[in-house]
Amino acid sequence: MVDSHCHLDSTQAKSGLDPEDAVRLAAQVGVTRIVQIGCDPEGCRWAVQAAERWPSVIAGVAIHPNDAARMGPDLVPALELVEGLAQHPRVRAVGETGLDYFRTPDAAGRAVQRDAFAAHIAIAHTFDKTLVVHDRDAHEDILDVLDAEGWPARVVMHCFSGDDHFARACLNRGAHLSFAGTVTFQANGRLRAALALAPLDRVLVETDAPYLTPMPLRGKPNASYLIPHTARFLAATLGIELERMCQALNDNADAAFGGSW
Ligand SMILES: [Zn+2]
Ligand SMILES: [Zn+2]
């Protein structure tokens, strides 16, 4: 299956797991494809290099909303870099972009995030790339900005964190919902309610490694080779065979990211 969202470069910084080993260990457990996400100028360049190096890896490029909020005048050239890299054939996604009202509580920072989000949406439209959305405590404004700018043909709600109501709103607009290890946490019944109402062909799975490690390894650094824990949990929650779940996750990643790789 596919890890639809991870940060191989941050994984190395956090746990010391070399990206080469991370890709190899993932393939050994059947996670044969990875979407590598860049969050700042350096990370975006790294993601493109990773996608050039490993056939199993494609890249997403963007300025993360929390980075956008604190970059000041550097944001303008950073967005120009994203626009340039987004034209690379191994870059399938613009993201992660969006709104993070948890880490950026001030009104000025949030206004910068909304403008940067709109700029990323425009880049996704221009080059027909998948939009990967980061949403933390900002569900309504995420919908507002996307409704105003227009939803790109393919949108992934990464680390989906909403309830059934928000899930329905995203699904009605054609988005895929990507579930991370958080769906396995006991307190997150609302995520499982959202999962339960999503059509099987709109569900993705991701690690967001090195963060959000699934149960029973919560608290340890995450990596793509641990995603089977989440995939098994999704299959069990939906009451379907693991094989069928994996086939769906594989097919859905192709649809969400503009074809196989
Ligand atoms: Zn995120
Ligand atoms: Zn991420």
Side-chain angles (χ1 to χ4, degrees):
M1 77 186 102
V2 181
D3 183 352
S4 293
H5 186 114
C6 93
H7 305 278
L8 291 165
D9 46 345
S10 310
T11 303
Q12 183 168 33
K14 184 165 167 120
S15 67
L17 180 63
D18 179 76
E20 184 90 49
D21 292 333
V23 171
R24 184 176 50 78
L25 288 170
Q28 280 177 3
V29 298
V31 184
T32 52
R33 298 189 289 161
I34 291 172
V35 183
Q36 166 67 19
I37 299 290
C39 290
D40 57 21
E42 189 190 351
C44 289
R45 289 192 194 94
W46 197 96
V48 173
Q49 285 165 9
E52 286 175 335
R53 179 173 172 189
W54 293 293
S56 58
V57 175
I58 57 169
V61 295
I63 306 303
H64 191 285
N66 289 323
D67 291 81
R70 61 174 172 252
M71 283 182 94
D74 292 341
L75 180 57
V76 173
L79 289 172
E80 286 170 4
L81 176 77
V82 169
E83 180 161 19
L85 293 176
Q87 299 172 52
H88 191 290
R90 299 289 296 168
V91 174
R92 295 280 192 93
V94 174
E96 55 185 293
T97 179
L99 304 171
D100 189 323
Y101 290 174
F102 180 77
R103 291 205 187 280
T104 301
D106 61 292
R110 291 178 175 188
V112 172
Q113 287 190 348
R114 283 194 290 271
D115 289 346
F117 186 26
H120 284 97
I121 294 168
I123 295 169
H125 276 295
T126 301
F127 303 110
D128 188 27
K129 303 289 175 167
T130 301
L131 187 75
V132 173
V133 176
H134 171 101
D135 160 31
R136 196 153 178 205
D137 296 349
H139 306 329
E140 290 309 316
D141 285 3
I142 289 281
L143 294 179
D144 282 351
V145 175
L146 270 164
D147 286 347
E149 304 299 322
W151 289 65
R154 298 175 305 283
V155 176
V156 173
M157 306 302 295
H158 124 74
C159 186
F160 184 77
S161 61
D163 58 8
D164 52 346
H165 174 79
F166 183 59
R168 236 178 239 113
C170 296
L171 291 165
N172 287 343
R173 291 161 169 86
H176 284 80
L177 310 185
S178 184
F179 290 89
T182 43
V183 74
T184 71
F185 300 171
Q186 197 187 355
N188 287 342
R190 72 184 194 289
L191 297 185
R192 293 185 283 277
L195 170 67
L197 69 81
L200 186 58
D201 65 358
R202 298 287 197 84
V203 175
L204 297 172
V205 67
E206 64 171 74
T207 56
D208 204 14
Y211 315 107
L212 310 179
T213 311
M215 295 294 284
L217 299 167
R218 185 178 183 180
K220 297 188 174 161
N222 204 0
S224 298
Y225 73 89
L226 297 175
I227 210 170
H229 290 288
T230 312
R232 281 193 200 96
F233 186 91
L234 295 179
T237 301
L238 294 173
I240 62 176
E241 295 286 325
L242 181 61
E243 196 173 327
R244 181 164 170 238
M245 187 80 236
C246 291
Q247 186 63 52
L249 293 169
N250 215 33
D251 295 345
N252 298 350
D254 288 346
F257 292 99
S260 195
W261 69 92

